[in-house]
Amino acid sequence: MAQQTRRVALVTGGAGGIGAEVCRALAEDGLAIAVTDKDLALAENLAKQLPRHGHKGFAVDVSDESAVRRLYDEIGKSLGQVSVLVTCAGVLLLRPDGSRNELVETSLDEWEVTQAVNARGTFLCCREYAQRLGPAPTDGRVVTLSSVAAQLGGYRSSSSYIASKSAILGLTKALARELAPKRVTVNSVAPGLIDAPMLRLSLDPADDGKAASAIPLGRLGTPSDVASAVRFLVSPAASYITGVTIDVNGGYRMQ
């Protein structure tokens, strides 16, 4: 195993819009990044572009139990033990015109694929992280990605997507309680309308103004807005924060 001189962060969905920004932010903070994506070329290309050095790209299907286990083995051999996990991998299945299926129209296949990537994938990556923790207390970090859709019932998102992201909120709290004795914090970030590839599945750029008018801060969010929240939760400054969800939505969901 390579000698570990700095924290290693595993970012799933690392080549995507939000995931890529998370990788850049954590790399700037000095972490060694394991960039993962289903497309190995995309993951490796991003790893080469990150600030500093010592990053590596990996291919993985997060819904595959054995693939997730192999991923952790490969990262351990090349970068060192994962101390930070950020689960950005996700999927939103919509109609060709960008509209969503209502529950009565949702096929079992759509439901199963969405749960497999979003909910099962997060579970598998979190479970593998927890299983590999040593007996001694650590200062690890887990940050999951949920969605404002899980809190509002969604407007552009399908019921299968909303359910999968709601499952992540519950899983985050359960794991936060279980890993607290080992000084591992587990939190979630719930993005709102973020100008990233997933939003563009349902929102035409011509409609950005109308969408932004419903947001108190008057604009769509950016991947860097989300990455900033993740960056904080991973930092020493957030060592006493666990089991919470940070909303990154410009005030779209106020309580």
Side-chain angles (χ1 to χ4, degrees):
M1 179 184 295
Q3 185 176 3
Q4 189 167 349
T5 58
R6 56 179 174 164
R7 292 195 296 169
V8 174
L10 164 55
V11 182
T12 69
I18 291 176
E21 283 301 318
V22 169
C23 288
R24 291 187 187 97
L26 298 186
E28 287 174 355
D29 288 345
L31 281 72
I33 312 300
V35 183
T36 73
D37 194 89
K38 290 190 72 173
D39 188 321
L40 178 59
L42 290 177
E44 289 181 331
N45 185 55
L46 179 63
K48 293 175 183 177
Q49 297 177 26
L50 295 177
R52 304 186 185 241
H53 66 279
H55 315 296
K56 189 171 181 179
F58 301 86
V60 68
D61 176 355
V62 296
S63 68
D64 185 323
E65 182 178 27
S66 60
V68 170
R69 187 171 296 119
R70 287 194 302 271
L71 171 67
Y72 273 82
D73 288 341
E74 292 171 5
I75 295 172
K77 292 175 182 177
S78 59
L79 296 179
Q81 181 175 343
V82 175
S83 60
V84 173
L85 169 64
V86 186
T87 61
C88 295
V91 63
L92 170 61
L93 302 180
L94 298 173
R95 296 169 177 165
D97 66 356
S99 62
R100 65 190 179 96
N101 283 324
E102 293 186 358
L103 183 63
V104 295
E105 304 165 313
T106 300
S107 68
L108 181 59
D109 183 61
E110 177 187 329
W111 177 271
E112 295 290 357
V113 169
T114 304
Q115 302 304 317
V117 176
N118 298 352
R120 186 204 305 166
T122 300
F123 157 70
L124 290 174
C125 291
C126 287
R127 186 184 66 177
E128 197 67 26
Y129 176 94
Q131 288 177 341
R132 292 173 185 250
L133 289 173
T138 181
D139 288 311
R141 298 283 190 273
V142 176
V143 181
T144 63
L145 267 286
S146 183
S147 171
V148 68
Q151 300 158 315
L152 293 175
Y155 294 105
R156 300 180 179 279
S157 305
S158 65
S159 56
S160 54
Y161 179 84
I162 294 164
S164 69
K165 290 297 186 175
S166 297
I168 289 173
L169 293 176
L171 174 64
T172 299
K173 291 182 180 296
L175 189 61
R177 200 170 289 278
E178 292 177 8
L179 296 189
K182 294 193 174 184
R183 291 209 315 268
V184 174
T185 67
V186 186
N187 297 289
S188 190
V189 173
L193 297 182
I194 305 298
D195 189 2
M198 187 174 287
L199 178 65
R200 292 308 169 192
L201 295 174
S202 64
L203 182 64
D204 188 304
D207 296 326
D208 283 4
K210 181 179 179 181
S213 68
I215 301 172
L217 287 182
R219 67 171 177 88
L220 300 180
T222 66
S224 63
D225 289 324
V226 181
S228 293
V230 174
R231 190 178 209 164
F232 167 67
L233 290 173
V234 168
S235 75
S239 63
Y240 200 58
I241 299 174
T242 196
V244 307
T245 299
I246 293 183
D247 292 340
V248 183
N249 58 36
Y252 191 58
R253 188 191 81 92
M254 290 192 184
Q255 291 181 329

